């Protein structure tokens, strides 16, 4: 048995990547059913652009999601997709990546999906540090189930389960993630600055390891004015830039004048920045390229041939075998 | 059975004076060795089992495990050790009550007496050091227990194990077990050289010094018994011509995983399933493969699903509480038609239940578990050997039918050891390479065959096969669909696959005649005990047969015809059913055992049931009693 994970060779694969010119339409599928003005649309456009620009082979690309409005994203990608169950996108993606490191695996999840029902998996995914690109579509509300408070809803958010306003302080996904061992990439973006949204997803994709992107995403259906103060006042956005982080275009720099040169290697400063949500920090907060990936740590370079399984099994059976005549087998 | 009349109760003679040893020939015997945990009774028992197997006897060993990791020393609930049933022929189950016990203290012994595990008047080889213990309460407890046991008719031999071991080692906690092993080898007339070889093998990873010390203790125990014990047993052996392997059910499962070609196992630790993953972790180091210890069972199942989805059929191994947690994810695999092998090594439930005890309480949960209609394949190995082959079968079915296959083992199989013919590897066991060929133009991801429900699966990497798998109702293109007709179509396809598999199964074989007065039906680990009891009745000329089901979902063809051949039918199971004799129980409220319920509803026969949930493996004697009651 030769475990062929590819029938085309690596060089052919490269040839295809460079020869085949991909259009954005090649990655589009169906008509998104999100509400008009929903921030998920911007995220979809950004990942489709990324696939095109990187020339990703649609058959080698997998978008994994959980359940929620945001988790519908894989249906609109003309790649492989896995729209699973609420909260469990990460372990599904991890299994797929471990079995098939040759695939590019993305994860799209919501604030309920990731920070509530799937919180255990989120913590452990950071620690496993598998080479996955995760987008947390954080609209601070449960969208699909029609407006219930989520763990990231700011205190006082009125919802169907908190008619007089939510009772608890919001959970901060950035500080949580920055506190987990093996954290290797943490970024934050907002859906209404497409240029930075694209840049950050692209940087996350190129980062080897688990990239965590919190995307502040508008939900005009349930929280129509939630983001207006930040959207309408560029001074309430803090752009992070650095030679090892984002490069801000002059055009953008004209609008968003509040900037900080932040070295993504600086964990202490990253934690400080993460703790503030006004102005809202946008950019790469933290990056460490040297954390080993779980799939590499667990990778076995031996080709698992039938011969190898046979010999291995027989060697194991030898340990437990009683040979005829009652004698110990040599 | 022990011909008790030839063995006279006797105290051992003083050291050195050889006693006259009465030798008895037996067909079989059950031996127990028990101690506080950490004193090595388990190792002694396992080694004894292996020696006996090497000598060509039939053997079945069961671990005696305390519920706590380190129960207090000398406690009634703390017995740790092994129970070994030796026979002249193949032994298929743990048998009835124990005939001979080696106990390192009287408290662990009391535990076994109180749980009715020892035969009335059985032989006890008891460590006697407690008689002179500096602690008065220990001294008196020992003397009191000794008196009670003798008065109750037990044949108690007091043995100065500690004292004898001190002649060879300073710390007798290390080594008393080998002394006991030596005594047992003498008691059962086993070949000392085979025993030496086994000890060398058992301590194979240790230094030569350690091995030699243990062999010295083994020999000392042997010599002491030869010189001081007034009895000896001989059990004829029938040498096999084929190599046998001796493993427990969990190791057999793990070997099955290797042999099936699966290379990823996702799990979360849980008794009594974990040892399978322990063993597999080690074996994968050599063969290549990954045991992924996930953050919980939900993650383990989802991880396995992700890996299977990406083309490598994966196994997830668990027990009751973990199995409950996996339900939603199992439903996803059913809906998405992702091949998946799930092993549930059943323990006592509900809730945390009895973690170390055996039960068959999860059958209904397995067949009907996960919300909605979630058809999956359920197989239950009945022997340790079947634990091995069931994994290979499960992987094949999972990938052929794109289904979830659940293997129901239990704590009884998991912790029992018995020899079976060494499997010889077959390349056909392995999974085919991951299909990465381009998908033909126009092919659909769920192109359900109208007759069988089967569809070809597209695996990431296959050009042209791009689609989004979803747990939502979907059409042939894997598009989310709310159309009533499409939902009906998908449900039908997923269900039909069970029927398609059923068409490939052979009718089960009846143990005994195809017609008669009574048919006993069982499933899973009770096979050996049921067949042993039925065999005994048949030898007595009774018209009783039994049927054991390995495939429970789908059930193989031919069962209705079998049922029709018997006047009365009863299932015997290790799970809950109401006692029809209870005051408020009648036919309108009686809850039947799981298999009885399934058979009654499918075949419309008035099938009776008997079951118990005592946490102990079913005994042939119990089956005998139940059958006699059923016949009366
Ligand atoms: C086990 C389970 N519990 C509850 C639900 C119902 N449910 C579906 S989506 C969702 C929350 C969605 O919120 P979020 O993750 O923030 O995604 P959004 O819709 O906002 O993008 C819930 C509670 C479910 N599908 N499964
Ligand atoms: S409900 Fe909110 S999150 Fe969902 S699609 Fe509409 S705008 Fe987007
Ligand atoms: Mg949300």
């Amino acid at each position: 048995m030769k475990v062929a994970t590819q029938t085309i060779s690596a060089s052919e694969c490269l040839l295809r990547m460079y020869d085949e010119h991909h259009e954005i339409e090649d990655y589009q599928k169906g008509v998104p059913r999100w509400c008009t003005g929903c921030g998920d649309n911007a995220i979809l456009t950004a990942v489709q652009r990324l696939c095109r620009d990187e020339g990703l082979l649609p058959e080698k690309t997998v978008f994994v999601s959980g359940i929620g409005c945001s988790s519908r994203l894989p249906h609109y990608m003309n790649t492989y997709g896995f729209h699973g169950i609420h909260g469990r996108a990460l372990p599904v993606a991890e299994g797929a990546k471990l079995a098939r490191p040759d695939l590019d695996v993305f994860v799209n999840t919501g604030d309920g999906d990731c920070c509530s029902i799937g919180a255990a998996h989120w913590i452990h995914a950071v620690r496993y540090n598998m080479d996955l690109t995760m987008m947390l579509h954080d609209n601070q509300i449960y969208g699909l189930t029609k407006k219930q408070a989520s763990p990231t809803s700011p205190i006082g958010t009125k919802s169907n389960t908190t008619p007089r306003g939510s009772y608890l302080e919001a959970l901060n996904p950035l500080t949580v993630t920055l506190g987990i061992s093996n954290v290797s990439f943490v970024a934050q973006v907002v859906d209404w600055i497409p240029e930075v949204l694209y840049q950050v997803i692209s940087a996350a994709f190129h980062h080897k390891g688990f990239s965590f992107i919190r995307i502040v995403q508008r939900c005009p259906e349930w929280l129509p004015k939630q983001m207006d103060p930040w959207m309408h006042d560029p001074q309430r956005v803090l752009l992070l830039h650095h030679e090892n982080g984002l490069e801000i275009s002059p055009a953008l720099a004209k609008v968003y004048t509040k900037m900080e040169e932040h070295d993504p290697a600086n964990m202490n400063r990253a934690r400080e920045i993460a703790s503030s949500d006004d102005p809202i920090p946008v950019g790469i907060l933290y990056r460490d390229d040297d954390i080993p990936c779980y799939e590499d740590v667990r990778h076995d370079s031996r080709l698992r041939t039938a011969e190898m399984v046979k010999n291995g099994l027989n060697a194991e059976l030898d340990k437990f075998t009683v040979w005829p005549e009652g004698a110990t087998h040599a | 059975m022990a011909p008790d009349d030839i063995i006279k109760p006797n105290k051992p003679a003083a050291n050195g004076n050889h006693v006259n040893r009465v030798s008895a020939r037996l067909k079989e015997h059950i031996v127990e060795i028990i101690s506080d945990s950490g004193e090595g009774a388990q190792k002694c028992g396992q080694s004894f089992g292996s020696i006996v197997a090497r000598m060509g006897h039939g053997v079945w060993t069961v671990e005696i495990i305390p519920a706590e990791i380190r129960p207090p020393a000398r406690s009634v609930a703390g017995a740790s050790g092994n129970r070994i049933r030796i026979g002249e022929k193949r032994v298929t189950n743990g048998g009835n009550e124990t005939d001979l016990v080696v106990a390192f203290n009287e408290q662990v012994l009391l535990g076994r007496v109180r749980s009715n595990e020892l035969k009335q008047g059985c032989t006890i080889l008891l460590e006697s050091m407690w008689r002179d213990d500096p602690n008065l309460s220990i001294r008196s407890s020992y003397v009191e227990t000794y008196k009670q046991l003798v008065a109750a008719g037990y044949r108690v031999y007091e043995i100065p194990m500690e004292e004898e071991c001190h002649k060879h080692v300073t710390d007798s906690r290390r080594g008393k077990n080998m002394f006991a092993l030596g005594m047992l080898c003498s008691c059962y007339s086993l070949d000392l050289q085979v025993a030496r070889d086994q000890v060398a093998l058992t301590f194979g990873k240790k230094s030569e010094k350690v091995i030699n010390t243990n062999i010295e203790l083994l020999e000392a125990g042997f010599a002491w018994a030869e010189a001081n014990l007034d009895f000896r047993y001989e059990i004829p052996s029938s040498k096999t011509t084929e190599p046998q392997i001796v493993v427990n059910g969990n190791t057999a499962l793990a070997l099955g995983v290797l042999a099936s070609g699966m290379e990823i196992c996702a799990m979360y630790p849980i008794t009594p399933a974990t040892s399978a993953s322990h063993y597999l972790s080690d074996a994968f180091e050599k063969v290549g493969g990954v045991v992924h210890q996930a953050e919980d069972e939900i993650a383990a199942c989802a991880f396995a699903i992700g890996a299977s989805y990406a083309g490598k059929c994966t196994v997830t191994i668990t027990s009751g509480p973990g199995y409950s947690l996996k339900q939603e994810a199992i439903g996803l695999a059913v809906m998405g038609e992702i091949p998946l092998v799930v092993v549930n090594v059943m323990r006592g439930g509900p809730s945390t239940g009895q973690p170390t005890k055996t039960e068959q309480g999860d059958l209904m949960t397995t067949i009907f578990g996960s919300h909605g209609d979630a058809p999956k394949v359920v197989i239950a190995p009945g022997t340790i050997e079947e634990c091995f082959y069931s994994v290979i079968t499960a992987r094949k079915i999972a990938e052929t039918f794109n289904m979830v296959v659940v293997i129901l083992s239990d704590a009884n199989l998991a912790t029992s050891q018995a020899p079976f013919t060494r499997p010889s590897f077959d390349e056909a066991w392995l999974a085919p390479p991951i299909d990465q060929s381009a998908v033909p133009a126009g092919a659909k991801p769920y192109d359900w065959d109208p007759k069988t429900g089967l569809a070809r699966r597209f695996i990431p990497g296959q050009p042209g096969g791009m689609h989004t798998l979803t747990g939502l109702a979907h059409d042939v293109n894997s598009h989310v669909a709310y159309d009533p007709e499409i939902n009906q179509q998908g449900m039908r396809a997923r269900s039909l696959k069970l029927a398609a598999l059923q068409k490939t199964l052979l009718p089960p074989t009846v143990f005994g005649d195809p017609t008669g007065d009574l048919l006993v039906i069982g499933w899973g680990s009770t096979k050996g005990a049921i067949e042993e009891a039925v065999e005994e009745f048949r030898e007595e000329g009774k018209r009783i047969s039994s049927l054991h089901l390995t495939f429970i979902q789908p059930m193989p063809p031919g069962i209705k015809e079998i049922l029709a051949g018997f006047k009365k039918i009863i299932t015997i199971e290790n799970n809950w059913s109401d006692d029809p004799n209870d005051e408020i129980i009648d036919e309108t409220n009686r809850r039947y055992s799981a298999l009885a319920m399934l058979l009654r509803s499918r075949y419309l026969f008035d099938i009776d049931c008997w079951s118990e949930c005592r946490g102990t493996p079913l005994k042939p004697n119990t089956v005998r009693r139940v059958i006699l009651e059923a016949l009366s």
Side-chain angles (χ1 to χ4, degrees):
Chain A
M1 178 193 64
K2 188 167 175 297
V3 179
T5 49
Q6 285 166 233
T7 45
I8 50 172
S9 70
S11 52
E12 265 178 278
C13 193
L14 278 175
L15 271 179
R16 275 194 61 184
M17 278 171 65
Y18 290 108
D19 280 3
E20 282 183 24
H21 179 69
H22 285 279
E23 300 294 345
I24 202 146
E25 290 77 22
D26 294 339
Y27 300 96
Q28 291 172 339
K29 192 175 76 185
V31 183
R33 301 268 189 89
W34 292 307
C35 308
T36 15
C38 173
D40 289 336
N41 291 294
I43 301 170
L44 176 66
T45 307
V47 292
Q48 285 170 338
R49 248 184 85 193
L50 176 85
C51 290
R52 178 199 59 194
D53 295 351
E54 300 296 334
L56 298 187
L57 292 179
E59 70 268 22
K60 298 282 251 176
T61 309
V62 186
F63 281 81
V64 181
S65 65
I67 295 290
C69 294
S70 40
S71 289
R72 279 301 185 98
L73 186 140
H75 285 284
Y76 310 129
M77 295 297 301
N78 190 25
T79 60
Y80 279 88
F82 193 110
H83 178 210
I85 46 176
H86 194 29
R88 320 300 170 193
L90 283 169
V92 169
E94 288 154 9
K97 186 71 184 177
L98 186 93
R100 296 285 303 279
D102 58 312
L103 301 173
D104 283 316
V105 183
F106 296 82
V107 178
N108 295 84
T109 172
D111 42 316
D113 204 54
C114 170
C115 307
S116 191
I117 192 169
H121 311 313
W122 162 32
I123 292 176
H124 290 278
V126 173
R127 191 169 151 256
Y128 296 136
N129 192 40
M130 300 189 73
D131 192 7
L132 305 168
T133 306
M134 177 189 138
M135 289 157 259
L136 166 59
H137 302 221
D138 190 352
N139 55 6
Q140 307 178 350
I141 197 78
Y142 284 13
L144 189 71
T145 46
K146 306 194 172 164
K147 200 178 187 185
Q148 296 84 21
S150 99
T152 59
S153 302
I155 188 164
T157 303
K158 288 206 163 77
S159 80
N160 284 317
T161 47
T162 55
R164 284 186 289 152
S166 59
Y167 313 98
L168 299 172
E169 265 320 318
L171 178 146
N172 180 336
L174 296 178
T175 52
V176 170
T177 309
L178 285 168
I180 303 168
S181 331
N182 279 351
V183 57
S184 79
F185 185 103
V186 180
Q188 174 159 279
V189 264
V190 293
D191 72 35
W192 61 88
I193 315 180
E195 187 182 326
V196 183
L197 177 63
Y198 174 84
Q199 270 185 296
V200 164
I201 297 178
S202 170
F205 170 74
H206 286 284
H207 168 70
K208 170 102 167 97
F210 184 72
S211 330
F212 177 91
I213 315 169
R214 179 196 189 204
I215 306 175
V216 177
Q217 174 231 325
R218 286 165 299 164
C219 172
E221 183 71 10
W222 306 125
L223 298 175
K225 303 217 173 328
Q226 185 91 337
M227 296 303 162
D228 285 3
W230 286 273
M231 250 182 77
H232 296 149
D233 182 1
Q235 284 302 306
R236 292 179 75 175
V237 170
L238 174 69
L239 275 188
L240 305 175
H241 66 100
H242 191 267
E243 52 178 1
N244 296 325
L246 296 187
E247 211 180 286
I248 306 297
S249 72
L252 205 62
K254 270 199 195 131
V255 184
Y256 294 96
T257 49
K258 208 173 187 104
M259 286 198 251
E260 176 175 332
E261 186 172 7
H262 166 64
D263 180 355
N266 186 343
M267 173 61 96
N268 288 338
R269 184 61 197 143
R271 287 187 172 144
E272 280 167 20
I273 295 170
S275 311
S276 140
D277 52 10
D278 203 3
I280 188 164
V282 164
I284 300 171
L285 280 92
Y286 185 71
R287 174 151 83 197
D288 182 346
D289 294 328
D290 296 329
I291 311 269
C293 290
Y294 187 71
E295 66 269 35
D296 296 335
V297 174
R298 304 297 314 259
H299 181 69
D300 195 323
S301 58
R302 296 170 291 184
L303 185 66
R304 208 169 185 270
T305 59
E307 198 57 24
M308 185 170 162
V309 176
K310 177 183 178 175
N311 294 340
L313 179 69
N314 280 334
E316 288 305 309
L317 291 176
D318 282 349
K319 289 191 197 162
F320 308 110
T321 300
V322 176
W323 299 94
E325 310 303 315
T328 316
H329 191 73
Chain B
M1 306 305 116
D4 284 348
D5 47 333
I6 2 180
I7 309 163
K8 310 230 164 32
N10 208 338
K11 290 208 105 194
N15 219 353
N17 297 341
H18 282 248
V19 292
N20 205 6
R21 270 189 126 184
V22 180
S23 183
R25 272 178 85 84
L26 307 170
K27 277 197 171 140
E28 66 148 297
H29 227 221
I30 300 178
V31 185
E32 260 183 36
I33 157 134
I34 45 171
S35 67
D36 288 342
S37 63
E39 287 188 312
Q42 300 242 352
K43 194 162 255 179
C44 169
Q46 279 157 10
S47 307
F48 183 63
S50 301
I51 296 164
V52 166
R54 274 162 197 274
M55 298 283 301
H57 298 289
V59 61
W60 183 280
T61 68
V62 189
E63 289 168 28
I64 299 165
I65 317 165
E68 296 163 39
I69 293 289
R70 278 261 175 226
R74 294 175 39 82
S75 68
V76 173
S80 160
N82 248 276
R83 190 171 188 276
I84 307 103
R85 185 180 184 200
I86 320 165
E88 63 176 338
K89 288 186 294 189
R90 201 169 80 90
V91 179
T92 61
N93 66 89
N96 298 316
E97 288 75 24
T98 300
D99 299 291
L100 182 146
V101 195
V102 182
F104 287 10
N105 68 62
E106 83 290 350
Q107 293 298 315
V108 291
L109 181 64
L110 273 180
R112 301 300 290 166
V113 173
R114 288 185 193 158
S115 53
N116 292 324
E117 290 293 347
L118 308 185
K119 191 173 277 176
Q120 256 307 308
C122 76
T123 304
I124 296 169
L125 306 184
L126 180 61
E127 162 69 85
S128 62
M129 63 185 273
W130 312 105
R131 198 177 265 288
D132 307 316
D133 198 271
N135 183 329
L136 174 67
S137 73
I138 292 180
R139 278 202 309 273
S140 42
S141 144
Y142 176 85
V143 172
E144 197 46 43
T145 308
Y146 174 81
K147 279 191 201 148
Q148 277 172 17
L149 289 170
V150 172
Y154 290 98
R155 197 188 317 277
V156 189
Y157 290 81
E158 292 191 82
I159 304 197
M161 299 187 213
E162 179 88 358
E163 190 184 318
E164 289 298 320
C165 287
H166 274 310
K167 294 177 183 167
H168 307 272
V169 283
T170 42
D171 179 7
S172 64
R173 262 182 86 84
R174 298 168 171 274
K176 200 185 276 184
N177 59 346
M178 289 298 118
F179 183 85
L181 180 63
M183 289 198 302
L184 286 174
C185 289
S186 160
C187 292
Y188 290 92
S189 317
L190 302 177
D191 186 334
L192 188 56
Q193 190 49 44
V194 176
R196 284 193 197 98
D197 291 346
Q198 181 59 42
V199 172
L201 210 68
T202 303
F203 293 93
K205 283 183 185 162
K206 299 274 167 66
S207 71
E208 198 164 321
K209 182 158 175 276
V210 172
I211 295 175
N212 288 339
T213 312
N214 280 290
I215 290 180
E216 191 182 321
L217 285 157
L218 169 89
E219 289 168 343
F222 190 89
W224 193 91
E226 294 282 313
N228 296 289
L229 291 180
D230 61 347
F231 66 91
R232 170 205 297 287
Y233 303 122
E234 269 176 61
I235 299 171
S237 64
S238 42
K239 292 237 153 61
T240 49
T241 49
E242 284 179 326
Q244 306 279 307
I245 71 163
V246 186
V247 290
N248 68 26
N250 273 358
T251 307
L253 281 170
L255 287 167
V257 172
L258 285 189
S260 74
M262 284 191 283
E263 52 190 282
I264 303 172
C265 163
M267 52 73 71
Y268 185 79
I270 187 163
T271 305
T274 320
S275 70
S277 305
H278 288 178
Y279 172 68
L280 199 55
S281 305
D282 193 47
F284 269 162
E285 293 289 324
K286 289 151 209 156
V287 187
V290 174
V291 171
H292 171 66
Q293 181 179 324
E295 55 272 26
D296 58 34
E297 283 90 348
I298 300 174
C301 197
F303 190 100
I305 288 171
S308 277
Y309 160 77
K312 289 187 178 173
C313 183
T314 295
V315 61
T316 178
I317 306 180
T318 190
S319 183
Y323 189 69
S324 290
L325 283 179
K326 289 176 202 277
Q327 290 308 313
E328 193 197 5
I330 287 177
L332 169 64
V334 171
M335 190 59 142
E337 303 190 45
I338 304 165
L340 179 70
V341 179
V342 184
V343 179
N344 177 357
V345 183
M346 293 179 289
R347 63 191 222 176
S351 190
T352 311
Q354 301 206 88
T356 60
K357 300 287 170 68
T358 196
E359 197 179 287
Q360 299 182 307
D362 299 350
L363 182 53
M364 288 307 199
T365 289
T366 305
I367 290 182
F368 300 112
S370 209
H371 54 283
D373 185 52
K376 51 198 111 51
V377 178
V378 182
I379 52 184
T383 62
I384 293 164
E385 182 174 27
E386 285 174 15
C387 286
F388 175 82
Y389 290 103
S390 66
V391 187
I392 300 166
T393 309
R395 207 272 306 147
K396 268 234 137 54
I397 294 175
E399 290 208 307
T400 310
F401 293 84
N402 294 331
M403 287 188 89
V404 175
V405 183
V406 186
I407 297 174
L408 285 179
S409 177
D410 63 19
N412 179 18
L413 288 172
T415 58
S416 297
Q417 280 199 1
F420 63 88
T421 305
R422 179 182 159 119
S424 79
F425 176 78
D426 183 344
E427 211 166 301
W429 290 348
L430 300 180
I434 300 175
D435 187 357
Q436 295 287 272
S437 61
V439 165
K444 303 179 179 81
Y446 292 99
D447 202 0
W448 295 303
D449 180 85
K451 190 166 143 198
T452 61
L454 287 164
R456 183 187 154 179
R457 193 165 72 97
F458 300 162
I459 298 167
Q462 286 192 274
M466 289 82 73
H467 68 286
T468 292
L469 183 145
T470 175
L472 283 159
H474 48 265
D475 64 11
V476 289
N477 290 311
S478 197
H479 293 160
V480 176
Y482 302 105
D483 179 330
E485 210 36 61
I486 293 174
N487 193 47
Q488 189 73 7
Q489 189 192 9
M491 299 286 273
R492 176 175 176 271
R494 290 186 296 273
S495 180
L496 272 180
K497 291 192 291 182
L498 275 181
L501 168 62
Q502 194 257 6
K503 293 282 175 215
T504 70
L505 301 179
L506 296 172
T509 353
V510 176
F511 181 79
D513 290 332
T515 58
D517 296 331
L518 179 72
L519 179 71
V520 178
I521 310 184
W523 64 280
S525 73
T526 54
K527 186 178 187 179
I530 292 177
E531 290 184 355
E532 185 171 322
V534 167
E535 172 88 19
E536 224 174 86
F537 279 116
R538 297 185 59 76
E539 280 166 9
E540 295 164 14
K542 298 248 166 51
R543 301 186 65 235
I544 298 172
S545 302
S546 65
L547 179 68
H548 211 77
L549 296 182
T550 311
F551 273 88
I552 305 186
Q553 174 96 323
M555 283 198 192
I559 294 180
K560 188 163 193 161
E561 293 72 10
I562 294 171
L563 301 181
F566 291 86
K567 286 195 192 137
K568 192 171 171 81
I569 306 159
I570 187 170
T571 72
I572 297 185
E573 306 176 52
N574 246 331
N575 49 29
W576 182 255
S577 64
D578 287 333
D579 181 348
N581 298 319
D582 274 348
E583 198 182 331
I584 61 165
I585 298 299
D586 56 43
E587 264 318 303
T588 65
N589 62 15
R590 176 179 175 193
R591 295 174 67 225
Y592 282 80
S593 276
L595 183 61
M597 221 184 296
L598 293 171
L599 294 170
R600 286 172 69 88
S601 67
R602 178 172 297 283
Y603 300 107
L604 302 179
F605 278 80
D606 189 9
I607 295 168
D608 200 359
C609 67
W610 180 91
S611 66
E612 64 174 5
C613 290
R614 295 179 190 283
T616 47
L618 186 69
K619 290 186 167 61
N621 268 352
T622 310
V623 179
R624 188 174 175 85
R625 198 190 74 226
V626 173
I627 289 178
L628 286 173
E629 278 166 19
L631 287 175
S632 66

